[in-house]
Amino acid sequence: MQKLEMIYEGKAKKVYRTDNPDYFWVEYKDDATAFNGQKKGTIDNKGIINNKVSAVFFQLLESKGISTHFVELVSDREMIVKALQIIKVEVVVRNIVAGSLAKRIGLPEGTILPRTVLEYYYKDDALGDPLINASHIAALELATPEQMEFIKETALKVNEIMREYLAPVNIDLIDYKLEFGTHKGQVLLGDEISPDTCRFWDKTTGEKLDKDRFRRDLGNVEGAYREVLRRLTGE
Ligand code: UDP
C-alpha cells in the first residue's frame, strides 16, 4: 500500500490517504495537548508508544469479537486502518471517579462507582466537546438510535475485556474515551486506545500511568507511557 497526501492533522495524529480508498495511513505524533488545546507540549516517543499500545488493544478486542478499524502496524509510529466516517460522539466509560466527573458530581477522585458510567460528548472542538445525552444525539442526527445501542453495548464489552486484560499486569482501568465510525455501513471502533485516552492507575500504588502526568505536571510522563507498553508487551 502507498502512503499518499495528508488529509487530516489532529492533535495527536496525522491521517493520510492511500492508493486504496478503503484504507487510511495513520501516523501518531509526539505532540500532546490538554484542556481543549490550551496546554501544549511534546512527550518524547509518545507517538511510537501509543501506536504500539493501541495495536495491542485493537488486536485484543478483535480477538474477542469487537470490530475495529485496525488493520496492521507499518512502522514504529504508523498503522493502516479502515477508512471511517467518524461519528461525532465521544464515548467515555468510567469505572472509578476521576477528572471531569469528580468536578461535576462532587465525589473525590478514586471513588469506586458501584455501576459503570457511560457518557457522551459532542465531538466539536469549537464548542469544547460538551457533554450530551442520547436525545441530543438523536436530535442532532449524529447517529441513529440503532447505532447508539450498538455503540453502548460495544463500549461496555470493551470495558470487560480491557479490565480483565489489565488486571494481571497490575493496572486499574479508571476511565477511557472511545470513538466510532462507519465503514461500508458497518460501525467500527476507531481512533486510538492509549495512555492519552485512558486513565491507567497502578493497582498497588495508585501511581498514574497516563496523560494526567502531563495534564497535572506530575513528571516522568514518558516513563509512565513506556511502563504501560512494557507491562503489555514486555518491550
Ligand atoms: N478523554 C480523551 N479525550 C478527551 C476527553 C477525555 O481521551 O477529549 C479521556 C481521558 O483521558 C479520560 C476519560 O476520557 O481517560 C475521561 O476524561 P474526563 O471527562 O475526566 O476529562 P479530563 O479530565 O480528561 O479533561
Side-chain angles (χ1 to χ4, degrees), residues 191-225:
D191 196 44
E192 64 179 283
I193 306 176
S194 71
D196 269 11
T197 62
C198 306
R199 287 194 169 92
F200 298 128
W201 294 0
D202 181 275
K203 265 189 190 298
T204 312
T205 64
E207 186 188 2
K208 295 183 193 334
L209 302 171
D210 57 55
K211 195 166 150 187
D212 274 345
R213 302 202 74 82
F214 170 78
R215 294 187 187 99
R216 303 177 190 187
D217 296 318
L218 300 176
N220 194 29
V221 186
E222 184 191 351
Y225 278 59

Side-chain angles (χ1 to χ4, degrees), residues 5-216:
E5 80 275 8
M6 187 170 78
I7 50 174
Y8 171 78
E9 177 162 11
K11 286 176 260 191
K13 296 185 286 300
K14 293 178 183 173
V15 181
Y16 298 81
R17 204 162 66 77
T18 70
D19 50 343
N20 183 333
D22 290 339
Y23 298 99
F24 290 152
W25 190 295
V26 177
E27 186 183 312
Y28 284 69
K29 307 192 290 183
D30 290 346
D31 298 347
T33 62
F35 313 120
N36 200 25
Q38 287 172 61
K39 178 174 176 144
K40 288 192 173 76
T42 47
I43 299 169
D44 289 339
N45 298 303
K46 177 171 82 79
I48 294 174
I49 297 166
N50 284 358
N51 185 42
K52 293 181 180 178
V53 168
S54 292
V56 167
F57 285 126
F58 284 134
Q59 283 167 319
L60 167 72
L61 294 169
E62 289 279 354
S63 79
K64 306 277 186 186
I66 306 278
S67 299
T68 79
H69 72 158
F70 179 75
V71 178
E72 61 176 349
L73 288 175
V74 275
S75 79
D76 265 2
R77 58 172 78 236
E78 296 166 302
M79 60 169 63
I80 305 284
V81 300
K82 290 180 185 161
L84 293 187
Q85 275 194 290
I86 278 292
I87 293 170
K88 288 175 67 175
V89 176
E90 299 191 350
V91 179
V92 168
V93 179
R94 303 178 180 274
N95 298 304
I96 294 181
V97 175
S100 70
L101 183 65
K103 292 198 187 115
R104 191 177 319 116
I105 62 173
L107 286 176
E109 279 210 321
T111 306
I112 295 171
L113 292 161
R115 288 191 52 170
T116 303
V117 167
L118 195 71
E119 296 171 349
Y120 305 124
Y121 293 85
Y122 183 20
K123 188 172 161 63
D124 185 314
D125 276 341
L127 296 176
D129 296 345
L131 181 70
I132 54 175
N133 64 27
S135 80
H136 297 112
I137 293 170
L140 291 169
E141 297 182 326
L142 302 179
T144 67
E146 294 74 27
Q147 286 174 332
M148 288 315 299
E149 194 52 39
F150 176 79
I151 285 170
K152 180 177 161 182
E153 269 173 35
T154 305
L156 295 175
K157 274 189 211 160
V158 167
N159 199 37
E160 295 318 305
I161 297 166
M162 286 185 60
R163 286 171 83 178
E164 195 176 306
Y165 189 73
L166 289 166
V169 295
N170 214 39
I171 291 175
D172 272 329
L173 179 60
I174 307 306
D175 58 29
Y176 56 93
K177 185 261 299 178
L178 300 177
E179 293 185 26
F180 294 83
T182 56
H183 175 85
K184 299 181 177 179
Q186 197 195 356
V187 175
L188 303 181
L189 177 59
D191 196 44
E192 64 179 283
I193 306 176
S194 71
D196 269 11
T197 62
C198 306
R199 287 194 169 92
F200 298 128
W201 294 0
D202 181 275
K203 265 189 190 298
T204 312
T205 64
E207 186 188 2
K208 295 183 193 334
L209 302 171
D210 57 55
K211 195 166 150 187
D212 274 345
R213 302 202 74 82
F214 170 78
R215 294 187 187 99
R216 303 177 190 187

